Each structure stands twice: as structure tokens, then as C-alpha cells.
Amino acid sequence: MIHAASVGTSDGCVIIGGNSGAGKSSTALRSLAGGMFYLGDDICAISNKNNNPTVHGIYSSGKTFSSDLKFFPALTSSIHSHFEEFYEKEVYFFYDQFKSQLPKSGKIKAIIIPHQDPSLAIGFQKIANANALSVICSSTKNLLPNAGNEMFYILSSILHQTPCYRFNLGNDPSLIVDKLANFISTLKQSNR
């Protein structure tokens, strides 16, 4: 298991890595609300059996701060519990409303690391695989202290076959879903 989000289309899935607050959950929740496949916003499982990089959804749920509810109106009916406190996180259970968008697994086409800088245009920039490995491993170790050599080995083997990108989120969140879906569709059938 890794600390990452994952979304996709019929063309494949992306892993969205980053530390807490990087934009993983908001990107994943926007993607789900926008019609994309959703495998998780915080924790996903990965495998690379027979050199087939795969992400597995495990919870069919998500979470966001109560103060951010206004950004995800399409998800309101999936809220399991609601907290009035500004600092609490809402918990969503998506199966009833979104079961057709919740695949059990998907082929990993790329690893993306969100970057929030409103002065940069929305888009993707290739980054070193070691950069993505460092980000995902460190955030996973912070959240899942018992994650160890097996996670590192599997993630490293996936990164040897999978391109990595920084995803500049731009200053207009309404563009994120289309940009991400189009990006996935442009990825070549073989990842390198």
C-alpha cells in the first residue's frame, strides 16, 4: 500500500503522489465528480506481477475538510458523516452513487506529482523517476510507518516502466479533470 491517490479512464490510470496538502485528494475527488474512474484519494495498493504495473482500489471512499465541501457539490449525497468544525474531514462512501466509476484495479500509465502554483499554467512536465520515488516513499513512510522494503521494491520496479510528471494544477480547478483525462488518453500504449 502507498500514500497516493489514483484515477483513470478506459485508457489507464495514473498514480497521484505527494505529501499531505499537495492536491492528491482534491484532484481525485474532482476527477470522480467529473466522470473519471476513481481508485482512491489517499491510500492505494500497487502490484507489478509479470511486469504489469497495476493500481488497486481498496476503500471506495474519500475524505476532505468540511471547509472544502463547497468545491465538491456533486459528492454531497455520498457524505457518510458531517462535521460542523472547520478542521474536521468529511468522509465519503462512494459505492452507492458511483459504483460504475470504481474499478477494482487499473493499469498504471504514469505517476504524477501535483504542484500548486497559480502563476503556472495548467499542464504536465516530465520529471525524474527518482523524484517521484522520493516523494511517494517519504509520504508513505510518514502515513504508514510499517511500509518497508516490499513497498519500495514494488514502487521502484513500477517506476522503471512508467513515466513520471509534475502536474501544474494552474489557477482554474474547473480545468483539471479535462486536462487529466486528455493527458491519460495521449499516453502511449507502452509506457516507454
Side-chain angles (χ1 to χ4, degrees):
M1 295 204 300
I2 58 170
H3 179 212
S6 182
V7 298
T9 68
S10 58
D11 294 317
C13 296
V14 293
I15 297 288
I16 307 169
N19 294 314
S20 295
K24 294 184 308 297
S25 290
S26 60
T27 299
L29 294 175
R30 279 190 180 88
S31 298
L32 175 64
M36 293 178 68
F37 293 153
Y38 174 93
L39 291 103
D41 77 320
D42 196 46
I43 302 288
C44 295
I46 56 171
S47 64
N48 196 22
K49 188 174 181 180
N50 299 322
N51 288 319
N52 183 25
T54 305
V55 59
H56 307 273
I58 53 176
Y59 294 124
S60 300
S61 64
K63 61 187 183 341
T64 189
F65 284 108
S66 299
S67 59
D68 291 338
L69 279 179
K70 61 186 174 274
F71 300 123
F72 309 105
L75 306 179
T76 302
S77 64
S78 294
I79 294 174
H80 173 67
S81 56
H82 178 65
F83 299 99
E84 297 299 327
E85 292 83 6
F86 182 80
Y87 58 86
E88 291 289 346
K89 287 200 172 185
E90 301 296 333
V91 177
Y92 299 92
F93 290 151
F94 295 128
Y95 186 77
D96 288 341
Q97 185 180 357
F98 296 101
K99 59 184 148 200
S100 66
Q101 291 173 243
L102 303 172
K104 292 181 182 177
S105 61
K107 181 168 176 55
I108 301 170
K109 303 297 280 182
I111 309 289
I112 62 173
I113 307 296
H115 181 71
Q116 297 187 56
D117 183 345
S119 68
L120 297 174
I122 190 168
F124 295 87
Q125 295 174 318
K126 192 106 158 105
I127 60 171
N129 290 20
N131 183 312
L133 180 66
S134 173
V135 168
I136 294 174
C137 281
S138 67
S139 69
T140 298
K141 288 298 280 179
N142 286 337
L143 188 69
L144 304 169
N146 293 326
N149 291 340
E150 183 180 15
M151 178 272 300
F152 178 81
Y153 173 76
I154 293 170
L155 184 57
S156 296
S157 70
I158 288 171
L159 285 168
H160 283 297
Q161 308 169 65
T162 309
C164 300
Y165 298 86
R166 181 172 80 172
F167 183 19
N168 296 321
L169 298 175
N171 60 11
D172 184 352
S174 69
L175 301 176
I176 289 174
V177 175
D178 285 342
K179 193 71 167 181
L180 185 52
N182 290 335
F183 171 74
I184 293 170
S185 72
T186 63
L187 291 170
K188 294 185 178 171
Q189 201 62 351
S190 64
N191 281 332
R192 271 210 259 178

